[in-house]
Amino acid sequence: QQQVKQSPQSLIVQKGGISIINCAYENTAFDYFPWYQQFPGKGPALLIAIRPDVSEKKEGRFTISFNKSAKQFSLHIMDSQPGDSATYFCAASMGGGKLIFGQGTELSVKP
Amino acid sequence: EAGVVQSPRYKIIEKKQPVAFWCNPISGHNTLYWYRQNLGQGPELLIRYENEEAVDDSQLPKDRFSAERLKGVDSTLKIQPAELGDSAVYLCASSLDEVTHDTQYFGPGTRLTVL
C-alpha cells in the first residue's frame, strides 16, 4: 500500500513533442504528490508538486494532472526540449517528510 | 547559497570494510534525510533527523548501518561491515520543516561500490 507505481520506464520524444509520465498509488492517506527531476551525477530536484484538492497544476511547460478517484497522477511536459532529457520520479507523502518514490522514467528528447 | 554538500562523491571498497559518508545540509534546515538509491530505482528513505533527533529510522538496517547528527547540523552515515548489496548512491537531503511538506533539497550523493 506504500508503493507508487510509475510508467513508462523509459520514453523517447521528439523535440517539440509532449512527454507524458504516469503514476498510480494505493494509499489514500497520501496528501502531497511531487515530481522530481534528476540529471546524471546529480541529486533529484523538485520540479512541481500538487495536493489532492486540485485536479491540475501548471508551471511553465510542466503540468500535473491529478485524478483522486482513480488514484493516479501524471506529468505532462509540453514542447519537450533536449535539455529536458533526464530521469523523472513521481513521489507521494502523507506528511512527516517521508517521500515514497516511484521507480523513475528515463526521458530522452531527440533534436 | 550553497546547496547540500556531500563527501566523498565516490567510494570503492572491498566487502567487509567499513565506510562513512558525510553530509552538510543547507544552512538553517532543521530536517535532514539519508536516502539510498539503487541503480535504476527511486530513492528510499533510510533515516530522518529533526535537529539532532532521529525521528524515523525504521528503514535503516541497524545491524550494519549507523548514523549520527551531532549538534543538529552535519551528519554522518556509516556502514560496517559493507556487503556487496550495499553498492548504491547514498543521497542526503534537507528541508526547513518536516511537518508541512517543505521541499527536500538533495545533495549530489555518494556513489558506493563494494567489490
Side-chain angles (χ1 to χ4, degrees):
Chain A
Q1 234 194 358
Q2 291 289 330
Q3 284 187 327
V4 177
K5 295 182 179 180
Q6 183 172 346
S7 64
Q9 188 173 359
S10 62
L11 182 62
I12 299 174
V13 173
Q14 289 298 124
K15 178 182 176 181
I18 302 174
S19 304
I20 302 175
I21 305 170
N22 302 298
C23 284
Y25 64 97
E26 288 295 324
N27 193 336
T28 56
F30 288 140
D31 64 353
Y32 176 68
F33 302 89
W35 285 88
Y36 278 79
Q37 180 187 55
Q38 186 175 28
F39 293 103
K42 305 291 186 182
L46 180 67
L47 190 61
I48 187 173
I50 197 169
R51 296 180 188 268
D53 53 345
V54 297
S55 60
E56 185 174 283
K57 183 174 181 180
K58 183 177 181 179
E59 290 184 1
R61 296 185 294 109
F62 301 91
T63 300
I64 299 179
S65 296
F66 188 84
N67 186 329
K68 188 174 181 178
S69 61
K71 292 185 284 187
Q72 295 175 347
F73 58 110
S74 60
L75 175 69
H76 296 235
I77 306 174
M78 310 300 288
D79 186 26
S80 298
Q81 299 296 312
D84 296 330
S85 297
T87 300
Y88 292 81
F89 294 95
C90 62
S93 175
M94 63 180 79
K98 183 171 184 176
L99 288 173
I100 308 297
F101 284 87
Q103 298 90 334
T105 297
E106 188 173 354
L107 172 66
S108 177
V109 181
K110 299 300 184 184
Chain B
E1 179 180 309
V4 176
V5 179
Q6 291 188 246
S7 69
R9 291 296 314 277
Y10 305 91
K11 189 74 176 179
I12 300 174
I13 61 172
E14 294 189 346
K15 63 181 181 181
K16 301 185 181 180
Q17 294 300 305
V19 65
F21 315 123
W22 175 81
C23 173
N24 179 243
I26 293 173
S27 178
H29 281 194
N30 296 322
T31 308
L32 183 146
Y33 313 78
W34 282 103
Y35 288 85
R36 178 169 58 190
Q37 185 174 25
N38 292 314
L39 186 65
Q41 299 294 317
E44 295 178 319
L45 181 69
L46 291 174
I47 189 168
R48 182 172 87 247
Y49 280 93
E50 184 67 24
N51 296 306
E52 65 275 8
E53 181 183 359
V55 296
D56 184 359
D57 63 355
S58 58
Q59 301 303 310
L60 190 72
K62 298 182 183 63
D63 56 336
R64 298 183 299 108
F65 286 64
S66 64
E68 60 182 9
R69 191 183 183 195
L70 300 176
K71 300 181 181 179
V73 181
D74 295 0
S75 178
T76 302
L77 177 69
K78 298 179 182 178
I79 308 174
Q80 182 172 9
E83 297 179 352
L84 294 177
D86 296 330
S87 295
V89 175
Y90 291 83
L91 294 163
C92 178
S94 69
S95 67
L96 276 171
D97 182 349
E98 58 93 15
V99 176
T100 59
H101 294 309
D102 272 347
T103 299
Q104 294 185 26
Y105 295 87
F106 285 80
T110 296
R111 180 176 296 277
L112 173 67
T113 301
V114 182
L115 303 176

